[in-house]
Amino acid sequence: MCSVDSLFLSGNEAIARGALRAGVTFACGYPGTPSTEILEVLSATADRDGRVQAEWCINEKVALETAIGASLAGARSLVTMKHVGLNVAADPFMTLSLTGVNAALVIVSADDPGMHSSQNEQDNRNFAKFAKVPMLEPADSQEAYEFVAEACALAEEFDVPVLLRSTTRVSHGRSRVVARAPVAFAPRSYERSIDKFVMMPQFARQRNRLVLERLAKLRERAERTPLNVLEAGTADLGIISSGAAYTYAREAFPKAWFLKLGMSHPLPVEKVAKLYRSVSRVAVVEELDPFIEDQVRALGLPVVGKEAIPADGELDQEIVFAALEPYLTRRPPRRRRPVMPPAARISAPVPAEPQLPVRPPVLCAGCPHRAVFAMLRKHKVSPLGDIGCYTLGALSPLDSLDSCLCMGASIGMMAGMNKVLGRRAVAAVLGDSTFFHSGVTPLIDARYNETDGIVLVLDNRTTAMTGHQGHPGTGVHLDRSAGPALDIERLCQGIGVRCETVDALDTEAFESALKRELGAQGLGVIVAFAPCALMAPGEQQLTVDEERCNLCGLCLDIGCPALAPGETAVEVSAACHGCGVCAAVCKRGALSVAGEPAGTP
Ligand SMILES: Cc1ncc(C[n+]2csc(CCOP(=O)(O)OP(=O)(O)O)c2C)c(N)n1
């Protein structure tokens, strides 16, 4: 038994306790061996002291999106999953690298070398390189406990999600953990920032440059961090290692020099070079892929790696000893100077042509989404968004969307934010194709986890953004033949969520539905339906009463490209579809429509 200040913990228990020490107040995930106990321990603690909210989500994608929402809301957040779970969460994960975080967000990926209980054996260190984010790899329970706080600090300093990788032996193995004092950190609040959180191309390009700059800074940090230690030895053998593999190699070769990487991405190349100056033979001992080895070879350095150490399954002391021992008697290679990689060039921002006016993309004339955004703006509802034509609602003059991460992210992010900020702090907006793609699962999750919030489905009965493709709600197959058309309202009601459908172009009806929801509790969905203007153009004509128009600009404020200020009154171009949204916002009755409207439900 250990003392009061030290406990004998599994790596999973240690991560949970490390999260509490680091000030994590929101945690979620999806079960999967070897990660599962982390949330169970956190939840048991949450029940006791009420500081942490912890929940199982419907899957890893929704879990990550929920944790992102919590991080945006200012809560240090943790999300847990097994290695294959990160495949499911890859869509939000890859773009999260661009947006960065608000409060810290730590993603625990529990890998399973040897496939004790998994369908494959993937090495998720590759995900860190893929997404250009830091990877921390604890080797035992003490490090599992301490690395959570290290990950939180890195996340907030570098505005980056941090991957924490454990493996089955670290997760389930038990070792002594000495308790450390809770860490202090500055609380964060949420601020709308569309160039950081709305990843449409013009903003994503800017963020991508920041990602590359951040990676260069993380490389410098990898050289200085105490997580990467050069441990002197007495034998003429250097071993680079990380995670559980380090403990096996340490036991197999106690006299060797070690470069122990607690932060295995990005690689500290100067520290690698220093090891090569100290010994004449170097080996990399790592489980699964030649992740470190490939990077060492890229420096032009001779190294013993996967030709000796198995590239599959778990390692142990005996495997490592038997694998490397024959190499110790061979003549050491001569070359020991690395060819340092050049700093990556980052393309310069393309300057706008000075003589051309800036033309930001806008919703089409007649787009039914415009009416919804105008109404959301009127009622000061600035929801989390998704990907589709409607993402343009984030831009001026509509200014009515706070985020765009990946398809289907809005509802999960809403859940995380509302859990942290209060019951109904934010809403979510997504399109009909996006709803079927990956909006149904987070809605079920929101119902299951008793999340409050308003979800707006902007149903234009097509996948407009990519060119009017069919989806399960359209009842039209790829070959244009008729198929079943799923009803979003009935689907929502089927999972027990309050839902009503309104005509998106009937601003009064939509406003009434919105007011009903704003005054309600719990979870509610409004389906704002009107066909895409490019598919179902109305026959309505807009006329301007020049006597009444005083150019107040209210109608121009909805950002319709068919309207422009004239000399004495608003002018209407041939692009007008006669949707009547401008007429609905005009307070002087200067605009009116006549004729056949576009299709309604
Ligand atoms: C994972 C993924 N698959 C495909 C796309 C391409 N894509 C972007 S938005 C979108 C669907 C938009 O349709 P909808 O939600 O109905 O909105 P609309 O454009 O009709 O307003 C698609 C397929 C993507 N960005 N991400």
Side-chain angles (χ1 to χ4, degrees):
M1 204 46 220
C2 302
S3 71
V4 191
D5 293 336
S6 77
L7 293 163
F8 204 59
L9 299 178
S10 72
N12 281 347
E13 290 166 337
I15 290 172
R17 284 173 183 264
L20 294 172
R21 168 183 174 246
V24 167
T25 51
F26 188 88
C28 59
Y30 186 76
T33 308
S35 70
T36 311
E37 300 80 16
I38 301 170
L39 270 198
E40 289 175 339
V41 173
L42 262 173
S43 172
T45 316
D47 284 349
R48 277 201 303 275
D49 73 4
R51 265 188 309 142
V52 185
Q53 299 190 69
E55 62 189 34
W56 286 130
C57 289
I58 192 166
N59 64 34
E60 294 86 351
K61 176 180 187 291
V62 174
L64 178 54
E65 289 158 354
T66 306
I68 293 168
S71 153
L72 284 196
R76 281 192 161 188
S77 303
L78 183 91
V79 57
T80 66
M81 59 196 71
K82 69 183 279 153
H83 60 295
V84 282
L86 200 48
N87 303 342
V88 179
D91 201 13
F93 174 66
M94 293 303 292
T95 305
L96 176 64
S97 173
L98 271 69
T99 64
V101 298
N102 183 26
L105 173 50
V106 181
I107 302 160
V108 179
S109 164
D111 293 10
D112 188 16
M115 294 180 273
H116 293 279
S117 50
S118 303
Q119 64 271 43
N120 80 2
E121 190 181 52
Q122 69 189 45
D123 187 333
N124 276 6
R125 291 177 301 172
N126 294 300
F127 263 116
K129 190 156 183 256
F130 198 17
K132 304 181 180 71
V133 303
M135 165 63 82
L136 302 193
E137 282 195 84
D140 58 21
S141 296
Q142 182 72 44
E143 289 188 349
Y145 170 72
E146 290 178 8
F147 280 18
V148 183
E150 299 285 352
C152 285
L154 269 180
E156 285 172 7
E157 183 183 345
F158 290 89
D159 190 7
V160 67
V162 176
L163 272 175
L164 183 80
R165 179 198 190 223
S166 77
T167 50
T168 307
R169 292 294 149 189
V170 176
S171 289
H172 289 170
R174 286 180 178 273
S175 58
R176 185 166 167 263
V177 175
V178 179
R180 308 272 184 230
V183 296
F185 61 93
R188 304 205 166 193
S189 56
Y190 172 66
E191 269 170 41
R192 181 173 197 258
S193 169
I194 59 166
D195 50 359
K196 178 163 159 59
F197 292 117
V198 178
M199 286 303 96
M200 51 175 66
Q202 69 263 42
F203 299 134
R205 276 183 216 114
Q206 293 169 19
R207 295 296 306 179
N208 208 33
R209 284 190 202 99
L210 296 180
V211 167
L212 293 169
E213 286 165 16
R214 183 184 71 198
L215 186 61
K217 288 182 194 144
L218 283 165
R219 284 210 171 91
E220 286 168 23
R221 175 53 59 88
E223 302 290 356
R224 288 187 286 115
T225 174
L227 303 188
N228 292 335
V229 199
L230 187 58
E231 298 167 350
T234 50
D236 185 20
L237 171 67
I239 295 179
I240 309 174
S241 194
S242 65
Y246 164 81
T247 56
Y248 309 139
R250 249 262 159 256
E251 263 186 52
F253 297 98
K255 294 186 178 154
W257 286 66
F258 273 86
L259 175 55
K260 179 191 180 301
L261 300 176
M263 179 174 170
S264 57
H265 184 261
L267 185 74
V269 287
E270 297 286 354
K271 276 199 165 133
V272 171
K274 206 166 169 193
L275 177 69
Y276 273 82
R277 287 199 291 275
S278 313
V279 291
S280 54
R281 285 187 192 86
V282 175
V284 174
V285 177
E286 55 191 332
E287 281 180 326
L288 305 187
D289 291 350
F291 180 76
I292 300 167
E293 178 191 337
D294 282 353
Q295 295 177 67
V296 172
R297 285 196 196 282
L299 298 172
L301 293 168
V303 64
V304 179
K306 289 297 166 188
E307 71 270 43
I309 307 281
D312 63 331
E314 285 185 301
L315 303 178
D316 63 24
Q317 299 82 315
E318 282 166 23
I319 296 173
V320 173
F321 186 79
L324 291 187
E325 211 249 354
Y327 289 87
L328 299 180
T329 48
R330 292 196 195 157
R331 197 140 57 95
R334 237 181 263 143
R335 184 179 163 76
R336 292 213 300 276
R337 278 228 193 105
V339 181
M340 288 301 184
R345 201 187 126 202
I346 302 171
S347 61
V350 182
E353 288 282 345
Q355 66 275 36
L356 294 177
V358 181
R359 290 190 185 88
V362 287
L363 295 169
C364 303
C367 174
H369 302 331
R370 172 173 290 105
V372 172
F373 285 123
M375 211 41 81
L376 291 177
R377 190 183 54 183
K378 180 175 169 191
H379 287 273
K380 300 194 169 35
V381 180
S382 191
L384 299 169
D386 239 297
I387 302 196
C389 297
Y390 52 90
T391 314
L392 295 171
L395 302 178
S396 285
L398 294 167
D399 290 318
S400 295
L401 213 71
D402 279 23
S403 69
C404 165
L405 184 74
C406 71
M407 283 187 80
S410 59
I411 302 177
M413 288 174 68
M414 175 192 82
M417 279 194 94
N418 282 352
K419 287 261 154 79
V420 172
L421 289 178
R423 307 309 291 168
R424 279 184 138 217
V426 291
V429 163
L430 70 169
D432 47 333
S433 192
T434 305
F435 177 80
F436 286 108
H437 174 279
S438 47
V440 181
T441 37
L443 191 67
I444 296 173
D445 183 87
R447 169 93 175 100
Y448 162 62
N449 279 311
E450 299 179 58
T451 301
D452 290 353
I454 307 172
V455 175
L456 295 142
V457 182
L458 307 190
D459 180 4
N460 56 4
R461 218 38 71 87
T462 187
T463 315
M465 188 170 186
T466 44
H468 297 134
Q469 290 76 28
H471 63 65
T474 61
V476 180
H477 294 141
L478 176 57
D479 65 1
R480 297 274 144 212
S481 61
L486 275 70
D487 184 321
I488 297 177
E489 184 177 318
R490 288 179 62 199
L491 203 151
C492 293
Q493 286 162 351
I495 56 174
V497 177
R498 178 178 65 237
C499 180
E500 67 175 305
T501 304
V502 290
D503 179 351
L505 290 171
D506 183 341
T507 44
E508 274 179 31
F510 179 74
E511 185 168 26
S512 305
L514 185 63
K515 280 184 178 163
R516 271 194 295 283
E517 266 307 326
L518 287 171
Q521 302 289 320
L523 181 63
V525 177
I526 302 173
V527 181
F529 171 78
C532 170
L534 301 183
M535 290 179 78
E539 297 292 315
Q540 296 191 133
Q541 302 281 326
L542 179 74
T543 47
V544 183
D545 183 336
E546 298 202 2
E547 297 293 303
R548 291 188 177 200
C549 178
N550 65 350
L551 277 175
C552 70
L554 268 183
C555 61
L556 299 173
D557 229 20
I558 58 170
C560 179
L563 295 180
E567 289 277 303
T568 55
V570 155
E571 285 176 0
V572 186
S573 80
C576 177
H577 279 249
C579 68
V581 176
C582 54
V585 297
C586 178
K587 293 211 169 121
R588 298 172 62 87
L591 302 168
S592 55
V593 283
E596 277 299 302
T600 45

